[in-house]
Amino acid sequence: MGFLACFYPHEIQDSTYGIPFEDWYKKGYRGVIFDIDNTLVEHDAPADERSIALFDRLHSMGFETMLLSNNKEPRVKRFAKQVHSPYIYKAGKPKGKNYLAAMKQMRTDRDTTLFVGDQLFTDVWGAKRLGIYTILVKPIDKKEEIQIVLKRYLEKIVLHFYEKEQRRNRNGH
């Protein structure tokens, strides 16, 4: 396991909407921290039927949810209101302070919390450093701001080594 392993997610899913949250609940997880943009909806898009239904499903299962975004409050608050979830804006990811604040507010800990996001160097790295189980999802929208596009090139390198290690582990090496 090389120095890049700190950026490796625990798992990768094609979409937030394909995560088997019922299975996670059965395993004892009780809180889910979500990034918003490109994780739940396209960048700056309002909540849609799919995201609203997901949060309704999670809440009816007994999950606590938290939106953790580096975006400004008007954007985060508007989305949070639509999905009925508490939120932390200008979260400063990957710094750990607001991941901890999110768990405290949800009354969960690193063993009962999932983190779902679309970026390795903010979302995954920040959560993983705190021992939170991380699920990286593929970005919903391929059109992104230039600073994110540049990060995606670096992410491809990290994910190349992640996939290589996953194959090695599957083959028993």
Side-chain angles (χ1 to χ4, degrees):
M1 197 145 78
F3 76 97
L4 294 177
C6 66
F7 299 111
Y8 294 173
H10 290 95
E11 68 179 73
I12 298 176
Q13 292 284 337
D14 286 335
S15 165
T16 299
Y17 302 100
I19 298 170
F21 288 105
E22 289 80 4
D23 294 347
W24 289 108
Y25 194 85
K26 287 177 195 159
K27 291 177 187 174
Y29 286 82
R30 294 299 180 261
V32 187
I33 303 171
F34 288 99
D35 176 50
I36 300 172
D37 290 321
N38 259 344
T39 297
L40 292 164
V41 292
E42 293 176 345
H43 189 76
D44 266 342
D48 55 14
E49 285 179 27
R50 196 166 65 155
S51 55
I52 292 167
L54 173 65
F55 278 76
D56 287 347
R57 189 174 114 225
L58 291 170
H59 295 148
S60 70
M61 259 188 268
F63 271 111
E64 296 292 326
T65 60
M66 177 66 68
L67 299 169
L68 190 65
S69 175
N70 285 347
N71 217 320
K72 296 180 179 102
E73 188 173 24
R75 191 281 180 274
V76 179
K77 182 178 184 178
R78 189 171 55 246
F79 188 91
K81 192 174 183 181
Q82 293 175 299
V83 297
H84 307 288
S85 180
Y87 64 92
I88 297 172
Y89 66 97
K90 285 192 178 177
K93 295 179 291 183
K95 292 181 192 150
K97 180 179 92 165
N98 284 316
Y99 292 88
L100 294 170
M103 288 188 290
K104 183 176 183 180
Q105 196 169 333
M106 293 190 301
R107 295 176 308 285
T108 60
D109 59 33
R110 59 194 82 216
D111 297 322
T112 59
T113 304
L114 297 170
F115 183 88
V116 180
D118 70 300
Q119 291 191 51
L120 286 180
F121 302 123
T122 51
D123 299 332
V124 169
W125 187 39
K128 192 170 178 193
R129 286 188 344 212
L130 294 170
I132 299 169
Y133 192 90
T134 57
I135 301 173
L136 177 72
V137 294
K138 294 180 179 161
I140 292 173
D141 192 358
K142 301 300 175 224
K143 296 188 303 284
E144 297 181 298
E145 297 171 3
I146 187 66
Q147 70 271 20
I148 295 174
V149 170
L150 296 174
K151 279 195 263 181
R152 295 284 184 212
Y153 285 111
L154 295 173
E155 285 183 355
K156 281 181 184 166
I157 295 166
V158 174
L159 290 172
H160 166 78
F161 288 102
Y162 169 82
E163 295 293 341
K164 203 170 166 179
E165 185 172 306
Q166 294 297 307
R167 281 193 300 278
R168 249 196 333 265
N169 291 342
R170 280 193 295 273
N171 295 331
H173 295 103

